[in-house]
Amino acid sequence: MPRTVSRLLLASLGLGALGLAGCSAETTAQLGRLGLPVAASDRSPYTHHLWIGSWIAAFGVGLLVWGMIIWCVVRYRRRKPGVPRQNRYNLPIEILYTVTPFIMIGVLFYFTVLTQDKVQAKVQHPDHVVTVVAQKWNWSFNYEEADNPDVGTATWESGTIEQPANLYLPVGESVRFNLKSVDVIHSFWVPAFYEKLDVVPGRNNSLDLTPTKEGVFAGKCAELCGTYHSAMLFNVHIVSKQEFIAHMKELEAKGQTGQLRTLQNPDAVPQRPESKQEGR
Ligand SMILES: [Cu+2]
């Protein structure tokens, strides 16, 4: 029996190594982060540490439990026929069963609250403000740049169900997202930022962060909001300051200035006709 077990273990280790060898460097790096995507925000490290720490704690608990199970199986294996002595109503063990999970939850809760406070901390004077408008079935981004001497005008851009919206952000500069919804509850989620926030009609949710990595990152709605929820995608372009200003000028040249009309008129963004009444 032990020989079979060690062979099985060797075979699975070999297969695992073979499987890893077939992965790209990107996938292997993601495995190192235990599934987290590439980070692109100054707030990401806090969530990263909570995630990795939780896994380490879970493995510690797992090893302890597996060890005790294996020890029990071996130590108390059947040696002679008959039912062994039964142990019931053991109060200390039952108290242990009850208290231990509370301690585990308490520790996780404590570190989660610490992380949440750091992730949600507000910047005193953010360099940029973007009003995000969620709507069935895409997003609008209002760049509140009227007071920015480099730009001087508020601009906007918007997506449709066929054409996902683009969001431009300058790298290394703080930004506040004011989240608004004109219909149902959506959720603003950029996986590379390691955080998401619900967009609730009639409520002003906001989140502050500083993008730290140039590139194009995926964004999506993370709240099941209706038939075309899966089409609520957008692209986040984290670019240099010059590229950001150039993009703002481009929007201005296209006449996309001021506040987007969807804030007042939800029907202004094209929708699929059959989806209009759905879920209202
Ligand atoms: Cu949505």
Side-chain angles (χ1 to χ4, degrees):
M1 185 65 181
R3 194 181 286 174
T4 323
V5 171
S6 56
R7 274 185 190 160
L8 268 174
L9 208 69
L10 265 177
S12 51
L13 275 176
L15 272 176
L18 202 68
L20 273 181
C23 292
S24 65
E26 206 175 297
T27 316
T28 320
Q30 187 160 16
L31 279 174
R33 295 187 298 267
L34 297 176
L36 287 175
V38 173
S41 143
D42 65 329
R43 310 298 169 100
S44 310
Y46 306 127
T47 313
H48 179 106
H49 290 141
L50 178 70
W51 177 247
I52 301 289
S54 303
W55 273 100
I56 290 171
F59 265 117
V61 173
L63 283 176
L64 185 72
V65 172
W66 293 326
M68 288 197 296
I69 290 173
I70 292 168
W71 178 75
C72 277
V73 167
V74 175
R75 173 79 176 76
Y76 298 103
R77 69 188 182 280
R78 184 169 172 170
R79 294 198 191 88
K80 47 186 183 217
V83 179
R85 191 170 64 85
Q86 299 298 296
N87 208 359
R88 277 178 294 181
Y89 305 114
N90 189 316
L91 197 61
I93 290 281
E94 281 173 21
I95 290 174
L96 184 76
Y97 283 163
T98 315
V99 172
T100 311
F102 273 102
I103 294 173
M104 287 159 73
I105 292 166
V107 170
L108 286 176
F109 182 74
Y110 173 74
F111 285 107
T112 304
V113 170
L114 285 191
T115 305
Q116 182 178 287
D117 285 349
K118 288 181 200 154
V119 166
Q120 293 187 335
K122 290 287 177 225
V123 176
Q124 272 295 321
H125 301 285
D127 299 323
H128 303 272
V129 175
V130 178
T131 303
V132 176
V133 184
Q135 171 172 19
K136 295 190 293 183
W137 308 98
N138 215 263
W139 303 83
S140 305
F141 301 110
N142 293 276
Y143 302 98
E144 316 287 358
E145 298 287 329
D147 296 330
N148 179 351
D150 293 325
V151 181
T153 319
T155 55
W156 58 265
E157 58 189 315
S158 186
T160 65
I161 193 165
E162 280 88 13
Q163 191 87 56
N166 290 307
L167 168 64
Y168 276 74
L169 299 170
V171 70
E173 299 196 2
S174 59
V175 56
R176 170 165 299 161
F177 297 103
N178 287 323
L179 307 179
K180 293 180 193 295
S181 169
V182 292
D183 40 45
V184 297
I185 300 176
H186 301 273
S187 182
F188 179 74
W189 186 30
V190 180
F193 291 163
Y194 290 13
E195 57 178 316
K196 59 185 166 196
L197 194 61
D198 274 7
V199 191
V200 185
R203 200 178 158 136
N204 293 322
N205 278 351
S206 72
L207 62 95
D208 292 10
L209 55 86
T210 302
T212 51
K213 191 177 169 58
E214 286 189 33
V216 183
F217 302 90
K220 55 192 86 184
C221 175
E223 179 78 45
L224 183 58
C225 54
T227 314
Y228 297 105
H229 157 70
S230 61
M232 285 196 64
L233 305 171
F234 58 100
N235 295 309
V236 184
H237 303 256
I238 301 177
V239 295
S240 66
K241 189 175 181 175
Q242 291 74 26
E243 282 174 87
F244 175 75
I245 293 169
H247 184 68
M248 293 300 108
K249 296 286 174 202
E250 221 173 89
L251 294 177
E252 194 182 338
K254 280 196 238 168
Q256 294 178 208
T257 54
Q259 277 279 332
L260 182 60
R261 54 217 160 110
T262 50
L263 277 174
Q264 288 80 39
N265 176 13
D267 292 324
V269 165
Q271 298 182 33
R272 286 202 171 158
E274 74 271 29
S275 71
K276 269 197 159 177
Q277 293 307 314
E278 194 279 330
R280 288 261 169 128

